[in-house]
Every structure is written in structure tokens, then in C-alpha cells.
Amino acid sequence: MASLDRQTASWARRMAALLVDWLACMLVIIAFVGPARYFPATAEDAAGVNPSLLTLGLLVLESTVLTSLAGGSFGKLATRLRVVRYDGRPGPVDPVRAFGRSFLVALVIPPLVFRPDGRGLHDIVAGTMTVPLAPRRGGGAPHPRD
């Protein structure tokens, strides 16, 4: 399996992307269930809603869909990262691999088990790697292949 001749993204940027994703998903869930049910004062206020699990489920869904369509989750794209195929083939990651990768990230441990090249277990299983986008040229929009 031939790898891309690119460096993987730093852990700081990956964590920033995950934080952006989590906050965005949390805001969407708050919009649906309301702040009183997301941050209940009592157990009765929660009324069977587990907002953390809803947020996690939305994170997996959002990450899967956007990774397979746009090359990265909302947070990754906002922090100028992209998930690419490790074998160097062009095009986005297929939805099944994107789901497997997102599901493993949700389990927390796989991203913490990583190789010297910076790829976590979730990337190894999915055949992907997270790379930084190249700096913008001339102040314009990034090239689609960046």
C-alpha cells in the first residue's frame, strides 16, 4: 500500500477540529431539544433525553456524511484539514469507510492508539489519513485538490 507523500495533521489541529464538531453538534441538538432539556436542573427535567448520546450520534452522522462528500467533517474543514485515502487514489472516502472511521473516533480509544506516522487506529482501519490543506495561494479560495 503506497502512502501519500504528505505529513499527517498535528494532534492540536485534530483536537481543535473535534472541538468545533462537538460544539456544532451540541448547538444543533440544543436547538431541537431546548436548553432546559439539554442542561436539566433535575432528572425530571431531562424526561428520558440523553443529550450527550444525541450529540455523539449526530457527530458520527455529520462526520460520516461530510467526510464522504467533502473530504472532512465540519470541524476538519473549518480548521483546514482533510481526510484522504492513504493509498493516494483521488476522490473522497467511501461512505462505509467514513462511517467506520467516525464510529471508531466516537469510541475514543482508537484515535489514541497511533503509529509513528501520526495515523490513529481509526485511520489505519479505514485506510485514510488526516492531512492539513495547503496554504491558500494569492489569497483566493483553495484549489479543490489542496
Side-chain angles (χ1 to χ4, degrees):
M1 182 182 267
S3 71
L4 293 174
D5 190 25
R6 296 179 83 174
Q7 291 290 345
T8 57
S10 71
W11 276 98
R13 293 227 354 233
R14 292 179 202 206
M15 292 300 111
L18 184 59
L19 180 63
V20 169
D21 279 329
W22 187 267
L23 291 174
C25 290
M26 189 173 85
L27 291 173
V28 169
I29 297 299
I30 288 171
F32 278 102
V33 301
R37 290 181 81 187
Y38 196 90
F39 303 106
T42 67
E44 294 168 357
D45 292 341
V49 173
N50 188 333
S52 295
L53 283 180
L54 291 175
T55 302
L56 185 61
L58 182 60
L59 179 77
V60 169
L61 178 66
E62 174 262 339
S63 181
T64 298
V65 171
L66 288 180
T67 297
S68 63
L69 293 177
S73 66
F74 174 73
K76 280 192 176 42
L77 297 175
T79 56
R80 300 203 30 84
L81 297 176
R82 176 171 288 159
V83 177
V84 296
R85 296 172 186 226
Y86 184 70
D87 61 12
R89 289 185 297 159
V93 177
D94 66 84
V96 173
R97 288 182 183 269
F99 173 75
R101 184 182 187 286
S102 299
F103 181 77
L104 288 172
V105 168
L107 294 178
V108 178
I109 299 301
L112 298 177
V113 177
F114 56 93
R115 297 174 46 102
D117 67 0
R119 293 173 62 226
L121 184 58
H122 61 297
D123 277 324
I124 294 165
V125 169
T128 59
M129 64 190 291
T130 301
V131 297
L133 288 175
R136 294 179 188 217
R137 294 181 285 263
H143 187 276
R145 289 287 175 210
D146 281 348

